[in-house]
Amino acid sequence: MKYRVLIGNDLHKRMKDITTIRGYCKACRKVELDIIQTIKDQGITHFISAGDWFDRGYGSDVAAALSHVDLDIELNKAVNGNFYGLIGNHIRIRMDSNPELFLIQPHPVYLSRHTTARTEQIMKTPKDLILNGVQFHFMHWNKDAESAYDYKAMIDENCHYHIGLYHTEYIVPAQYLQDMNMHNQCSDNSKISAALQGIDLAIVGHIHKPIGTFVINKNDGTKTTMIIPGSLTNTDAGLGSRHDYVDMPCIDIDEDGKVTLSYIRQTLYTDELVFMKKNLTDDTREKLKSLRGNTKETLYAELEQTTFIGESSGFISLNAFMKQQGYTPGDKKLIRNIINNPNDIQNLVNIYKEDTRC
């Protein structure tokens, strides 16, 4: 059987417009409707989201959540149940009311407070997918990752071609991130080379600015083609990452396992959006105030969220911040223990003693 796999990055569906982008939700809906039509017109057999299909939880807006999930069910029907997805960092933001959490149930790690009766995910999130000897590696976002090496794939030697799907900046060489204020969050080339060992094609989400296709020469003499298509919506009002379209990778696999790469252009309806400036200083101050008095679960979700690469706000994840500040492994263990198990004083003491012995 022949397969045709379409991959789209970072749709970031929301219950209401971003404060600085009027018309965001309507444009987002149009993009997904276009993707469903493309699936039907172009004979797409599988659709894969490269992470952050939703932006965050919807709170009490049940009507918006139901409407948006209904559209995803229609997409799933269009590919006969072959709707797949990477888990991105944004699933943790207000996670209990995030529709994406519902789409991936049942899941062994990300559990919803209310269980579902179904046994199959609407958006499937496996570790890998094999089609005619071509292995897709789902390298889901890892909140504890410190370098590209934390995203090293498990290669099935019985497969002849390997496609890595990533939702992280760590896997991208520094020179492609230099214009996005990411120099302190990059992996060195040796770790990227090691992480990409055996990977023929790497497709990267999480980075919203379209960078395109380029080749990485690895230390073992082999090459990996990397694609950073950009986000399927404009999530920032700044000019730096604003774009009008995305060229979505489309991978054809014939009966013999031959792989052919092409692109399908998707407009983002940028001309229908109204972008407004915001006072970043005031916005930052309000974000910091909002952390006061939060529960452990809410605080952790807010700390762990990462804003979009290429945005002007400059917020980074907790893990990236600790790396940027040069925290030791012991420092990181102490902080994570305080967040996850604040009452476990003995473990804090043990971590401290272990660190001082080093």
Side-chain angles (χ1 to χ4, degrees):
M1 180 178 177
K2 294 182 179 180
Y3 298 100
R4 197 161 210 218
V5 183
L6 182 64
I7 299 169
N9 295 10
D10 296 87
L11 184 59
H12 282 278
K13 295 166 71 170
R14 295 172 57 97
M15 64 178 176
K16 60 181 180 180
D17 287 348
I18 295 173
T19 55
T20 55
I21 306 177
R22 190 175 302 158
Y24 178 93
C25 290
K26 287 184 179 178
C28 192
R29 178 177 174 81
K30 284 187 174 183
V31 168
E32 186 167 4
L33 286 170
D34 283 353
I35 290 173
I36 293 173
Q37 193 60 49
T38 296
I39 288 170
K40 296 175 181 178
D41 294 343
Q42 299 291 332
I44 304 298
T45 62
H46 294 69
F47 179 79
I48 300 175
S49 160
D52 290 350
W53 191 245
F54 281 83
D55 186 70
R56 62 188 63 201
Y58 278 35
S60 60
D61 196 341
V62 178
L66 291 174
S67 175
H68 293 176
V69 166
D70 187 64
L71 198 56
D72 297 328
I73 291 173
E74 291 304 308
L75 190 154
N76 190 44
K77 289 179 181 177
V79 286
N80 297 312
N82 293 317
F83 179 18
Y84 289 81
L86 275 183
I87 295 175
N89 55 307
H90 275 249
I91 198 170
R92 296 188 66 92
I93 305 175
R94 302 173 189 168
M95 185 165 66
D96 192 55
S97 64
N98 191 328
E100 190 168 343
L101 182 67
F102 170 77
L103 291 176
I104 68 172
Q105 295 307 308
H107 192 275
V109 177
Y110 293 99
L111 306 176
S112 60
R113 187 160 51 89
H114 295 281
T115 59
T116 58
R118 59 180 146 85
T119 58
E120 186 173 276
Q121 298 169 300
I122 295 173
M123 178 193 287
K124 297 178 176 63
T125 58
K127 292 182 179 180
D128 70 344
L129 171 68
I130 298 175
L131 302 173
N132 292 347
V134 176
Q135 186 178 19
F136 291 81
H137 300 268
F138 288 73
M139 307 307 296
H140 303 288
W141 176 68
N142 178 358
K143 67 181 178 63
D144 297 320
E146 298 186 349
S147 74
Y149 199 75
D150 291 307
Y151 290 93
K152 183 173 174 56
M154 297 293 292
I155 301 295
D156 186 338
E157 299 295 342
N158 294 317
C159 296
H160 67 275
Y161 195 88
H162 297 270
I163 300 173
L165 304 170
Y166 304 89
H167 192 87
T168 177
E169 69 275 19
Y170 286 138
I171 205 74
V172 182
Q175 65 264 33
Y176 296 100
L177 300 174
Q178 60 186 358
D179 296 330
M180 289 178 263
N181 194 30
M182 297 298 297
H183 56 281
N184 288 321
Q185 298 171 57
C186 299
S187 296
D188 60 61
N189 288 338
S190 62
K191 289 183 178 179
I192 292 174
S193 180
L196 293 174
Q197 185 177 4
I199 299 295
D200 300 291
L201 176 65
I203 300 174
V204 184
H206 186 55
I207 299 170
H208 291 193
K209 181 179 180 179
I211 296 177
T213 304
F214 51 92
V215 175
I216 297 176
N217 295 303
K218 294 175 289 188
N219 294 343
D220 61 1
T222 62
K223 298 180 179 182
T224 294
T225 299
M226 182 169 285
I227 307 173
I228 305 178
S231 60
L232 285 166
T233 46
N234 282 283
T235 58
D236 187 86
L239 291 172
S241 59
R242 194 181 303 178
H243 49 296
D244 298 325
Y245 61 86
V246 163
D247 288 326
M248 295 187 293
C250 183
I251 300 163
D252 285 285
I253 306 170
D254 67 15
E255 292 93 339
D256 298 323
K258 180 184 177 182
V259 174
T260 303
L261 172 65
S262 61
Y263 301 88
I264 295 179
R265 180 159 293 185
Q266 173 60 52
T267 180
L268 304 190
Y269 298 97
T270 309
D271 58 331
E272 299 180 18
L273 302 174
V274 178
F275 297 95
M276 295 165 282
K277 293 183 179 180
K278 65 179 179 180
N279 187 322
L280 291 178
T281 302
D282 291 344
D283 184 63
T284 302
R285 188 180 298 116
E286 289 304 312
K287 283 179 178 286
L288 292 174
K289 285 181 180 179
S290 70
L291 296 179
R292 298 175 184 171
N294 281 352
T295 63
K296 179 190 75 173
E297 292 78 8
T298 304
L299 178 63
Y300 188 75
E302 293 291 339
L303 286 171
E304 276 297 341
Q305 67 172 290
T306 305
T307 55
F308 317 118
I309 305 306
E311 283 196 324
S312 55
S313 59
F315 290 107
I316 57 176
S317 70
L318 173 62
N319 200 53
F321 175 79
M322 291 191 293
K323 179 182 178 183
Q324 186 183 83
Q325 297 300 312
Y327 286 17
T328 67
D331 293 334
K332 295 174 185 178
K333 285 182 181 179
L334 283 169
I335 291 170
R336 291 196 181 102
N337 190 82
I338 291 169
I339 291 173
N340 293 316
N341 301 293
N343 298 322
D344 192 348
I345 305 300
Q346 186 57 52
N347 195 38
L348 288 173
V349 173
N350 293 339
I351 293 171
Y352 176 77
K353 288 181 178 178
E354 179 183 339
D355 192 43
T356 55
R357 287 197 299 266
C358 295

